[in-house]
Amino acid sequence: MIKFIILGFLNYGQFTGYDLKQMMTYSTSNFISASFGSIYPALNKLEKDGLISSTKVVENGRYKKKYTINKIGEDEFIRWLEEPIDFMRSYEDILAKVFFYKKLPKESTIKLIEQLIEDINKKIKELEKLETMIKKEAEYFEISTLYFGRDHLKFMADWYGKFVEDIKQR
Amino acid sequence: MIKFIILGFLNYGQFTGYDLKQMMTYSTSNFISASFGSIYPALNKLEKDGLISSTKVVENGRYKKKYTINKIGEDEFIRWLEEPIDFMRSYEDILAKVFFYKKLPKESTIKLIEQLIEDINKKIKELEKLETMIKKEAEYFEISTLYFGRDHLKFMADWYGKFVEDIKQR
DNA sequence: TAGCGCATGTAATATGTTACATGATTTC
DNA sequence: GAAATCATGTAACATATTACATGCGCTA
């Protein structure tokens, strides 16, 4: 996960691990935040795997390692972005992709979100079947968690429905 | 996390690791599911720590290890349930507690949920401040993730608001 | 000169998954 | 007799956090 957020930000320029942490704090902390303890090892692994490259520089007398994304990294990032959204993962995972959707052609974005909505609606129907099956025996708080699940998915389908309409009209 | 789900289920009787996995599959898979690879080690640790005890039995010629919750386990479970809900964790974590709220007196449950709603509303105000600050520079998809965050929290506050009213009227 | 911000990194810990290993009983 | 289900467990891996370790430059 953190891997793709890093690749995403490196699409916009050269940054240090410290820069990336700042960017996450200011713009993605709402759904993804990372500590230095995950950013630095992730950067090292990405470089080892050839997705990014680093240059050692001294700026204002300070030693820095600036990272640049490579072609392989760009390709892997786009491949990830274009993958259908797995809505059963947390909503944070969905937002991590949405955050970078401007990198994709408008039609791709629209297709991905419409697919997402369809998948969510399928899941809602499944849940509603389950509900009618276990309604009688289940305890109040237990069944309430099912109702929350259902309503939460309805909220998601609804929100992304409006979102996709908004994207179409832009 | 898995630890408290196990303790929660052991409040209802004696079960094996296999039983617990089944119960999760059928009733909490909506927000929590666990593999045997996490259930069995968790059971061993809980026993080592004295929160649960096991008895080896042979049923239908099959070797089983049935677990019982101890007083320490019960106390620790209730302590966890009574803790204020940390809504910044995933909604799955919230549901994990709600699922077992029948173990708590009605007034405690109501207080916990009302506190949750208050915390969510505070966070919504923070987000709205942030929005007005960065509205101008931010890119469409980037700011959309903020809007989702805000609307998602509003959905949560709303849902739990109705929930607490329903609990009061029962 | 103390403290904060910038900058990188490691070690210990937490928490889980997937795959593997084993073996019994029940069902078709 | 094969396959599914019951039943327990370990090993390798994945992914992250928190705390620690280090050191420079700027500002009060």
Side-chain angles (χ1 to χ4, degrees):
Chain A
M1 186 75 265
I2 183 70
K3 166 183 167 181
F4 295 107
I5 307 293
I6 290 174
L7 289 176
F9 279 122
L10 289 182
N11 268 284
Y12 303 137
Q14 285 195 3
F15 301 105
T16 66
Y18 195 89
D19 292 337
L20 290 167
K21 162 92 174 163
Q22 300 269 295
M23 292 163 97
M24 287 180 209
T25 303
Y26 290 123
S27 59
T28 69
S29 58
N30 194 32
F31 53 96
I32 288 281
S33 58
S35 56
F36 287 123
S38 63
I39 291 172
Y40 287 116
L43 284 169
N44 288 328
K45 182 152 196 308
L46 282 167
E47 185 168 26
K48 209 190 77 193
D49 295 346
L51 307 198
I52 61 176
S53 305
S54 68
T55 332
K56 279 175 192 161
V57 291
V58 177
E59 241 171 56
N60 316 320
R62 263 200 201 91
Y63 155 75
K64 291 182 188 192
K65 246 170 111 177
K66 288 211 171 188
Y67 289 93
T68 317
I69 192 164
N70 297 338
K71 183 73 171 52
I72 318 174
E74 277 172 13
D75 292 349
E76 176 121 353
F77 179 69
I78 294 296
R79 192 158 44 241
W80 172 74
L81 258 198
E82 279 175 338
E83 255 173 29
I85 303 168
D86 179 4
F87 77 99
M88 287 307 285
R89 301 176 63 85
S90 66
Y91 77 81
E92 284 90 350
D93 288 33
I94 304 178
L95 292 184
K97 289 196 178 186
V98 170
F99 189 85
F100 293 111
Y101 267 174
K102 84 160 171 198
K103 290 288 294 180
L104 248 41
K106 188 171 163 177
E107 318 82 57
S108 304
T109 304
I110 290 171
K111 263 190 196 152
L112 283 167
I113 299 178
E114 283 178 342
Q115 184 60 54
L116 169 69
I117 296 167
E118 210 183 302
D119 293 343
I120 294 175
N121 283 327
K122 262 185 214 150
K123 184 71 189 178
I124 291 173
K125 275 182 192 146
E126 273 177 49
L127 269 189
E128 283 173 343
K129 253 184 214 159
L130 191 69
E131 267 171 39
T132 53
M133 277 166 60
I134 60 166
K135 212 176 232 163
K136 291 158 202 165
E137 321 111 69
E139 189 272 334
Y140 175 74
F141 287 105
E142 290 179 12
I143 193 109
S144 292
T145 63
L146 251 192
Y147 292 152
F148 179 91
R150 175 201 61 194
D151 293 342
H152 186 251
L153 287 177
K154 281 184 178 170
F155 159 77
M156 299 264 278
D158 195 54
W159 197 92
Y160 282 104
K162 284 175 189 153
F163 187 43
V164 85
E165 285 316 309
D166 192 51
I167 293 170
K168 281 179 184 168
Q169 277 165 21
R170 296 179 81 234
Chain B
M1 185 77 265
I2 184 69
K3 165 182 167 182
F4 295 108
I5 308 293
I6 290 174
L7 289 176
F9 279 121
L10 289 182
N11 268 285
Y12 303 137
Q14 285 195 1
F15 301 105
T16 67
Y18 195 88
D19 292 336
L20 291 166
K21 161 93 174 163
Q22 300 268 295
M23 293 163 95
M24 287 180 208
T25 302
Y26 290 122
S27 58
T28 68
S29 58
N30 194 32
F31 54 95
I32 288 281
S33 58
S35 57
F36 287 123
S38 63
I39 292 173
Y40 287 116
L43 285 168
N44 287 329
K45 180 151 198 308
L46 281 168
E47 185 168 25
K48 209 190 77 192
D49 295 345
L51 306 198
I52 61 176
S53 305
S54 70
T55 332
K56 278 174 192 160
V57 291
V58 177
E59 241 172 56
N60 315 320
R62 263 201 200 90
Y63 155 77
K64 290 183 189 191
K65 247 170 110 177
K66 288 210 171 190
Y67 288 93
T68 318
I69 191 165
N70 297 337
K71 183 71 171 55
I72 316 175
E74 277 172 13
D75 291 349
E76 176 122 352
F77 178 70
I78 293 296
R79 190 158 44 241
W80 172 73
L81 258 197
E82 279 175 337
E83 255 172 28
I85 302 168
D86 179 4
F87 76 100
M88 287 306 286
R89 302 176 63 85
S90 67
Y91 76 80
E92 283 90 351
D93 288 34
I94 304 177
L95 292 184
K97 290 196 177 185
V98 169
F99 190 85
F100 293 111
Y101 267 175
K102 85 160 172 199
K103 292 287 295 179
L104 247 42
K106 189 171 164 176
E107 318 81 59
S108 304
T109 303
I110 289 171
K111 262 189 197 154
L112 283 167
I113 299 178
E114 283 178 341
Q115 183 60 54
L116 169 69
I117 296 167
E118 209 183 303
D119 293 343
I120 294 176
N121 283 327
K122 261 184 216 152
K123 183 72 189 177
I124 292 174
K125 274 183 194 147
E126 273 177 50
L127 269 188
E128 284 173 342
K129 252 184 215 160
L130 191 68
E131 268 171 38
T132 52
M133 276 166 60
I134 59 166
K135 213 175 233 165
K136 292 159 202 165
E137 322 110 69
E139 189 272 335
Y140 175 73
F141 287 105
E142 290 179 12
I143 193 111
S144 292
T145 63
L146 250 192
Y147 292 152
F148 180 92
R150 174 201 61 193
D151 293 343
H152 186 250
L153 288 177
K154 280 184 179 169
F155 159 77
M156 298 265 277
D158 195 54
W159 197 91
Y160 282 105
K162 285 175 188 154
F163 187 43
V164 85
E165 285 317 309
D166 193 51
I167 294 169
K168 280 179 184 167
Q169 276 164 23
R170 296 180 81 235

